[in-house]
Amino acid sequence: MQSTTHAAHAAQRRWGWLWRATVWTVMGFFLLNVVFMILTVMVNSVATRWFGTLLPEGFTLDWYGRAWDEFQLAHILVVTLQVVAAVVILAIVLGVPAAYALARARFPGKRLVMLLIIIPMLVPPVTYGIPMATAMYQIGVGGTLAGVILSNLVPALPFVILVMTPFIEQIDPGLESAARIFGANTFQYFRHVLAPLLVPGMLAAGLLVLVRTISLFELTFFTAGPDSQTLVVALYYAVFSTGVRAPQAIDAMAMIYMAITMVWVLIALRFVSPTQLVSRVKEAPREA
């Protein structure tokens, strides 16, 4: 009996070791491919000429200056900043009151309402992006900066509501009653009691919306015009539009985009833990 049990444990340990080795091998292979692809783009962006050799013949930073001038990156970065700032501000201004109402209200079908709100986050943007862009062009908003902002707001607003609703539910409702007892009106309660408690959640939601907006391609691509392209859309046009362009300049533009995105991702991770987003809206308690 003991020998049989020992053999079973030994076999289990062998299978466990084999499974872990397989998982780490696959993950390592995937990460190595990603790292080598990034390194290839990075090296090519500073290469004078690189063809058929292990390393380029020489290195230069001139391609970054050429990409800055050729692709009008100054204008594109200004547009990207305008879109990101507007989307973050509107998503916070509209999403936080909506999240507060959902967190405090108790009504039948609350979970269904939450599901309807987060649908733009669950379905691929292409499914609703094309009809939305068609409607925007029909009313004259498509191809403008306002159209890009509105299209990016569609998934950003539900994201803020999804993040802030559980955050607000953790705030004791008794604080509002206590503030009312001491004579505070709605504005005073919001300014002196609720707003300081909401700042960490608003900061987290705003940073994550910022990162999502910078990298959101489909909706921006459908609604952007020649003067309202963000950096990710401009990068796509640089790669696939007609004409002869130096691949080093395109790679330099890609590195600029990746650097900007990574900076904001690192800032977001400094203030936000991904595990904080794994939450769900509490069910309303059943009345006796």
Side-chain angles (χ1 to χ4, degrees):
M1 179 67 68
Q2 292 181 353
S3 61
T4 304
T5 304
H6 180 73
H9 284 302
Q12 186 176 5
R13 286 194 298 269
R14 285 195 299 270
W15 281 108
W17 178 86
L18 180 61
W19 171 253
R20 289 192 296 270
T22 303
V23 171
W24 282 107
T25 301
V26 173
M27 291 179 58
F29 179 76
F30 173 76
L31 291 176
L32 280 176
N33 276 276
V34 173
V35 170
F36 277 119
M37 284 190 292
I38 295 175
L39 287 176
T40 300
V41 175
M42 184 184 301
V43 172
N44 194 47
S45 68
V46 294
T48 55
R49 187 174 183 271
W50 191 12
F51 182 77
T53 57
L54 182 61
L55 292 175
E57 296 179 359
F59 297 94
T60 179
L61 294 176
D62 293 342
W63 296 114
Y64 284 86
R66 181 172 174 178
W68 186 272
D69 296 331
E70 182 178 352
F71 301 119
Q72 299 179 345
L73 288 184
H75 171 72
I76 292 172
L77 289 176
V78 169
V79 172
T80 303
L81 178 62
Q82 292 174 338
V83 171
V84 169
V87 171
V88 170
I89 293 173
L90 290 175
I92 294 296
V93 170
L94 300 176
V96 172
Y100 183 82
L102 287 171
R104 292 291 184 253
R106 298 291 182 265
F107 57 90
K110 180 178 178 179
R111 294 174 65 87
L112 177 61
V113 172
M114 284 297 300
L115 177 62
L116 294 176
I117 289 175
I118 65 175
I119 280 179
M121 296 177 55
L122 301 177
V123 300
V126 177
T127 57
Y128 62 88
I130 295 176
M132 181 180 65
T134 302
M136 285 187 175
Y137 279 102
Q138 288 177 348
I139 63 176
V141 180
T144 65
L145 187 64
V148 175
I149 293 172
L150 290 175
S151 63
N152 280 267
L153 189 62
V154 172
L157 184 57
F159 187 82
V160 171
I161 295 175
L162 182 66
V163 172
M164 292 300 300
T165 300
F167 188 87
I168 295 173
E169 285 183 335
Q170 299 173 7
I171 299 176
D172 187 3
L175 293 175
E176 183 173 2
S177 301
R180 299 293 187 186
I181 292 175
F182 286 99
N185 55 33
T186 302
F187 176 76
Q188 291 172 332
Y189 165 71
F190 176 81
R191 178 182 176 182
H192 298 288
V193 180
L194 188 60
L197 297 175
L198 292 180
V199 166
M202 293 168 60
L203 178 62
L207 285 172
L208 294 172
V209 167
L210 185 149
V211 174
R212 285 170 58 90
T213 304
I214 290 177
S215 59
L216 188 61
F217 172 75
E218 295 93 337
L219 300 180
T220 307
F221 176 76
F222 291 147
T223 55
D227 297 326
S228 57
Q229 297 176 8
T230 60
L231 188 56
V232 63
V233 175
L235 179 59
Y236 172 83
Y237 279 118
V239 176
F240 294 103
S241 61
T242 58
V244 179
R245 291 179 173 85
Q248 293 94 332
I250 296 176
D251 287 344
M253 184 178 180
M255 291 305 302
I256 293 173
Y257 169 74
M258 187 178 69
I260 293 174
T261 305
M262 288 302 300
V263 166
W264 285 111
V265 168
L266 294 175
I267 294 175
L269 291 177
R270 172 65 178 82
F271 293 96
V272 185
S273 173
T275 57
Q276 295 175 355
L277 303 181
V278 184
S279 56
R280 64 183 182 88
V281 179
K282 300 177 183 177
E283 295 185 13
R286 297 180 180 178
E287 297 182 1

